[in-house]
PDB file of all heavy atoms in Angstrom:
ATOM      1  N   SER A 154     -27.642  32.764 -15.656  1.00 79.00           N
ATOM      2  CA  SER A 154     -26.322  32.874 -16.385  1.00 79.00           C
ATOM      3  C   SER A 154     -26.418  32.590 -17.861  1.00 79.00           C
ATOM      4  O   SER A 154     -25.601  33.053 -18.683  1.00 79.00           O
ATOM      5  CB  SER A 154     -25.311  31.903 -15.751  1.00 79.00           C
ATOM      6  OG  SER A 154     -25.597  30.579 -16.062  1.00 79.00           O
ATOM      7  N   TYR A 293      -5.940  41.593  -8.570  1.00 98.00           N
ATOM      8  CA  TYR A 293      -6.981  41.215  -9.476  1.00 98.00           C
ATOM      9  C   TYR A 293      -7.835  40.028  -8.969  1.00 98.00           C
ATOM     10  O   TYR A 293      -7.267  39.045  -8.511  1.00 98.00           O
ATOM     11  CB  TYR A 293      -6.422  40.885 -10.851  1.00 98.00           C
ATOM     12  CG  TYR A 293      -7.445  40.445 -11.839  1.00 98.00           C
ATOM     13  CD1 TYR A 293      -8.285  41.355 -12.438  1.00 98.00           C
ATOM     14  CD2 TYR A 293      -7.472  39.095 -12.294  1.00 98.00           C
ATOM     15  CE1 TYR A 293      -9.196  40.995 -13.378  1.00 98.00           C
ATOM     16  CE2 TYR A 293      -8.481  38.688 -13.258  1.00 98.00           C
ATOM     17  CZ  TYR A 293      -9.335  39.716 -13.786  1.00 98.00           C
ATOM     18  OH  TYR A 293     -10.250  39.306 -14.755  1.00 98.00           O
ATOM     19  N   HIS A 374     -14.196  51.640   5.244  1.00 98.00           N
ATOM     20  CA  HIS A 374     -13.858  52.564   4.120  1.00 98.00           C
ATOM     21  C   HIS A 374     -13.781  53.951   4.649  1.00 98.00           C
ATOM     22  O   HIS A 374     -14.798  54.506   5.138  1.00 98.00           O
ATOM     23  CB  HIS A 374     -14.932  52.400   3.076  1.00 98.00           C
ATOM     24  CG  HIS A 374     -14.855  51.157   2.293  1.00 98.00           C
ATOM     25  ND1 HIS A 374     -15.394  49.963   2.694  1.00 98.00           N
ATOM     26  CD2 HIS A 374     -14.330  50.922   0.960  1.00 98.00           C
ATOM     27  CE1 HIS A 374     -15.143  49.004   1.756  1.00 98.00           C
ATOM     28  NE2 HIS A 374     -14.507  49.627   0.789  1.00 98.00           N
ATOM     29  N   THR A 463     -29.756  46.139 -26.959  1.00 97.00           N
ATOM     30  CA  THR A 463     -30.699  45.018 -26.935  1.00 97.00           C
ATOM     31  C   THR A 463     -30.682  44.276 -25.595  1.00 97.00           C
ATOM     32  O   THR A 463     -29.676  44.192 -24.862  1.00 97.00           O
ATOM     33  CB  THR A 463     -30.337  44.072 -28.069  1.00 97.00           C
ATOM     34  OG1 THR A 463     -31.364  43.042 -28.140  1.00 97.00           O
ATOM     35  CG2 THR A 463     -29.036  43.310 -27.874  1.00 97.00           C
ATOM     36  N   HIS A 497     -18.480  49.079 -31.068  1.00 96.00           N
ATOM     37  CA  HIS A 497     -19.569  49.724 -30.412  1.00 96.00           C
ATOM     38  C   HIS A 497     -19.325  51.234 -30.409  1.00 96.00           C
ATOM     39  O   HIS A 497     -20.265  52.034 -30.770  1.00 96.00           O
ATOM     40  CB  HIS A 497     -19.631  49.229 -28.919  1.00 96.00           C
ATOM     41  CG  HIS A 497     -20.681  49.935 -28.115  1.00 96.00           C
ATOM     42  ND1 HIS A 497     -22.051  49.958 -28.416  1.00 96.00           N
ATOM     43  CD2 HIS A 497     -20.501  50.677 -26.947  1.00 96.00           C
ATOM     44  CE1 HIS A 497     -22.706  50.718 -27.516  1.00 96.00           C
ATOM     45  NE2 HIS A 497     -21.798  51.108 -26.591  1.00 96.00           N
ATOM     46  N   TYR A 653     -38.591  61.764   5.769  1.00 97.00           N
ATOM     47  CA  TYR A 653     -37.758  61.032   6.661  1.00 97.00           C
ATOM     48  C   TYR A 653     -37.825  61.579   8.118  1.00 97.00           C
ATOM     49  O   TYR A 653     -37.898  60.857   9.090  1.00 97.00           O
ATOM     50  CB  TYR A 653     -36.261  61.073   6.207  1.00 97.00           C
ATOM     51  CG  TYR A 653     -35.930  59.831   5.318  1.00 97.00           C
ATOM     52  CD1 TYR A 653     -35.969  59.889   3.952  1.00 97.00           C
ATOM     53  CD2 TYR A 653     -35.634  58.632   5.941  1.00 97.00           C
ATOM     54  CE1 TYR A 653     -35.590  58.788   3.194  1.00 97.00           C
ATOM     55  CE2 TYR A 653     -35.265  57.519   5.238  1.00 97.00           C
ATOM     56  CZ  TYR A 653     -35.233  57.605   3.800  1.00 97.00           C
ATOM     57  OH  TYR A 653     -34.972  56.515   3.105  1.00 97.00           O
TER      58      TYR A 653
END
Side-chain angles (χ1 to χ4, degrees):
S154 71
Y293 180 69
H374 286 80
T463 187
H497 176 59
Y653 266 98

